[in-house]
Amino acid sequence: MKGKKAQEEMVGFVIIMVVVLVILVIILGLYIRQSSSAQKIDNTEISQFLSSALEYTTNCEVAGSFLQLNELTQRCYEGKSCGSESACDITRETFQSLIESSWKFSLGTRSYKFTILNPSGDEIVILRSYQTETSSSQSIEASKLIPAGSEDILVSLRIS
Amino acid sequence: MKIQQMAFLLVGITIFFALVGVIYFSITISHARTSAQSAQNEEAILLARKLAGSPEFAFTSSSDCATCIDMDKIIQISDLSGYEELWNMDHVFVTRISPQYSNEKCTRANYPNCDKIILANRSTNLATKTAFVTLAGWDGIINSYRYELGRIEVSSKQI
């Protein structure tokens, strides 16, 4: 009789544990779904910024025409220059000007990290708003690929 | 004794479920604002894309940029009030972010040395939504189309 009671209590305890686990899984599922949807939308803004920025007409003149930022980035990857300046320097300056005109950054509140990676994954251009990024947990990031021959250059921007 | 134990158990389970409920609702409420903001941003971006794709905005002079806004075209229609009704918007501003000339409102007289084209500006307290766009316009100095970074700001009772 005593053994049966203990068995019943164990079954009851297991049922409670299962119910609690199911509830926790549902809550976790809802939480993850909401976070990923918010992230997707935030990324859209940066993605849209990168698309518009890559069309930007730069001051780099080659053969009588001014290059767009995506063409200048390809030139930077190829190690070419633009007049007396390096194509990478103009790429860096142009991206810095566009990013800092589009958002307000201040030490301790908001920072950014911009990178251009060659097809092997090495950084060819890197820009940071501050040497130490802010410790904000919310960070949004988007990337764009620029074709360079048979390979792609990866341009990405992260704002924290 | 057994009844007391059962009562303690029931109270414990009730407190536990109440705690789980409180945690769930706090998470839901904290995400509600973010979700609302994100939904509004998404709507603004969709609206901006819709506007950018309309014949009055679309840049069709060159096949280089399918999603660009034609600045030369919209400066021509900025004085025409009928377009406010067509788009059914309370506020439509197209602002150049880079390069910046002056923060003046564009008119046919000062264009292109200005940064803001106002297409609709009814007095409203509605929040403005913005999206990045590429602005295209003919540049006589470089004798070609120049592509610039801009932002479209819209607000309407619909969004």
Side-chain angles (χ1 to χ4, degrees):
Chain A
M1 185 67 185
K2 205 174 179 181
K4 199 177 178 188
K5 277 224 161 192
Q7 213 174 18
E8 278 173 5
E9 275 185 24
M10 275 177 70
V11 171
F13 184 69
V14 167
I15 290 170
I16 289 168
M17 291 298 287
V18 167
V19 169
V20 169
L21 272 177
V22 167
I23 290 170
L24 286 176
V25 165
I26 291 169
I27 292 171
L28 198 69
L30 286 172
Y31 181 79
I32 289 167
R33 206 174 58 178
Q34 282 173 349
S35 314
S36 63
S37 120
Q39 190 72 19
K40 186 186 140 204
I41 292 159
D42 285 334
N43 286 349
T44 313
E45 189 190 3
I46 298 186
S47 175
Q48 208 176 27
F49 166 81
L50 287 176
S51 302
S52 299
L54 288 170
E55 301 278 356
Y56 187 81
T57 306
T58 64
N59 295 325
C60 173
E61 190 181 0
V62 175
S65 68
F66 286 83
L67 299 185
Q68 287 181 288
L69 198 45
N70 56 359
E71 296 166 324
L72 187 63
T73 308
Q74 288 169 343
R75 208 172 167 80
C76 165
Y77 164 63
E78 289 160 5
K80 291 180 181 170
S81 63
C82 190
S84 58
E85 264 191 280
S86 136
C88 288
D89 286 345
I90 304 176
T91 305
R92 189 181 296 111
E93 285 162 19
T94 311
F95 268 113
Q96 184 171 17
S97 156
L98 293 179
I99 294 167
E100 292 179 4
S101 307
S102 302
W103 291 279
K104 297 272 173 280
F105 297 96
S106 60
L107 188 60
T109 55
R110 188 187 256 180
S111 64
Y112 71 84
K113 186 184 176 191
F114 172 82
T115 48
I116 301 177
L117 303 179
N118 67 15
S120 7
D122 302 322
E123 285 170 348
I124 50 173
V125 169
I126 180 161
L127 273 170
R128 281 174 202 269
S129 51
Y130 300 101
Q131 284 305 308
T132 314
E133 285 187 78
T134 52
S135 57
S136 165
S137 58
Q138 270 202 323
S139 168
I140 48 172
E141 186 172 3
S143 305
K144 289 276 164 197
L145 290 171
I146 303 173
S150 58
E151 296 172 305
D152 291 318
I153 305 166
L154 182 75
V155 176
S156 60
L157 173 64
R158 185 173 78 221
I159 294 182
S160 318
Chain B
M1 185 68 182
K2 288 236 168 202
I3 292 170
Q4 207 176 20
Q5 278 178 348
M6 182 60 78
F8 274 123
L9 186 71
L10 285 174
V11 168
I13 290 171
T14 311
I15 290 170
F16 181 78
F17 279 106
L19 276 176
V20 170
V22 165
I23 291 167
Y24 171 75
F25 283 112
S26 64
I27 289 170
T28 310
I29 289 165
S30 72
H31 278 277
R33 277 187 191 169
T34 318
S35 304
Q37 186 65 46
S38 302
Q40 284 180 338
N41 288 344
E42 193 180 32
E43 276 186 61
I45 288 165
L46 289 174
L47 190 64
R49 279 185 189 160
K50 190 179 134 191
L51 278 180
S54 69
E56 289 81 5
F57 280 72
F59 177 67
T60 50
S61 304
S62 166
S63 57
D64 285 357
C65 181
T67 55
C68 289
I69 286 181
D70 192 334
M71 291 282 273
D72 299 339
K73 215 191 264 184
I74 58 170
I75 189 66
Q76 299 300 321
I77 58 169
S78 61
D79 295 337
L80 308 173
S81 57
Y83 281 96
E84 287 182 25
E85 306 301 325
L86 176 70
W87 294 313
N88 198 19
M89 295 287 157
D90 297 297
H91 175 113
V92 183
F93 284 14
V94 176
T95 312
R96 190 187 341 244
I97 296 173
S98 184
Q100 283 194 320
Y101 295 99
S102 70
N103 205 20
E104 280 177 46
K105 178 196 166 186
C106 291
T107 60
R108 290 189 200 193
N110 67 3
Y111 180 80
N113 301 315
C114 56
D115 290 331
K116 190 173 273 187
I117 297 182
I118 298 173
L119 295 159
N121 191 21
R122 292 179 192 149
S123 59
T124 171
N125 295 323
L126 299 168
T128 304
K129 315 293 181 306
T130 64
F132 287 105
V133 285
T134 308
L135 308 174
W138 180 258
D139 188 333
I141 299 166
I142 64 169
N143 206 27
S144 172
Y145 287 103
R146 181 179 279 280
Y147 301 97
E148 296 163 324
L149 180 67
R151 194 179 261 146
I152 183 165
E153 301 171 28
V154 292
S155 79
S156 160
K157 289 184 188 78
Q158 293 176 324
I159 58 173

